Amino acid sequence: MSQIYTQRYKKLLARLIEAREKVGLTQEQVAKKLKKPQSFMSKIESGERRVDVVELENLSQVYGLSLNFFQTLKEENGSE
């Protein structure tokens, strides 16, 4: 992963992987649900491609989780 990403963004990427694994889906399965190639998910999770807010919302729907699950600001401020 590129060093240009902040610690907060790295936490978001970790949450994306955690969410996908939590629901027991592969990158390929998620990509199919989003009508994207598997490489789309691979690049997002590895940090090669930055995820935008609309894509994050779509991923939260696929995982059945609220956008709050992906929020990292609370952790950074020491409250949860």
Side-chain angles (χ1 to χ4, degrees):
M1 179 183 329
S2 176
Q3 294 300 320
I4 63 169
Y5 292 127
T6 63
Q7 281 301 111
R8 194 166 158 207
Y9 190 76
K10 289 176 186 177
K11 286 179 185 177
L12 171 65
L13 295 179
R15 283 281 171 97
L16 285 168
I17 294 167
E18 178 186 348
R20 179 178 55 75
E21 291 174 345
K22 185 176 186 170
V23 296
L25 294 173
T26 65
Q27 288 181 348
E28 186 173 357
Q29 290 168 322
V30 174
K32 271 187 177 177
K33 289 177 182 288
L34 297 173
K35 296 179 175 47
K36 302 280 187 184
Q38 181 273 330
S39 61
F40 172 81
M41 287 305 301
S42 175
K43 288 177 181 180
I44 285 176
E45 288 184 2
S46 71
E48 186 177 335
R49 182 188 183 292
R50 202 160 172 97
V51 64
D52 71 30
V53 69
V54 173
E55 292 164 342
L56 183 59
E57 186 176 61
N58 291 339
L59 287 165
S60 73
Q61 290 174 353
V62 168
Y63 301 144
L65 297 167
S66 75
L67 283 173
N68 288 337
F69 177 83
F70 301 100
Q71 188 175 352
T72 59
L73 186 58
K74 286 182 183 177
E75 292 174 1
E76 204 168 85
N77 291 332
S79 62
E80 184 105 16

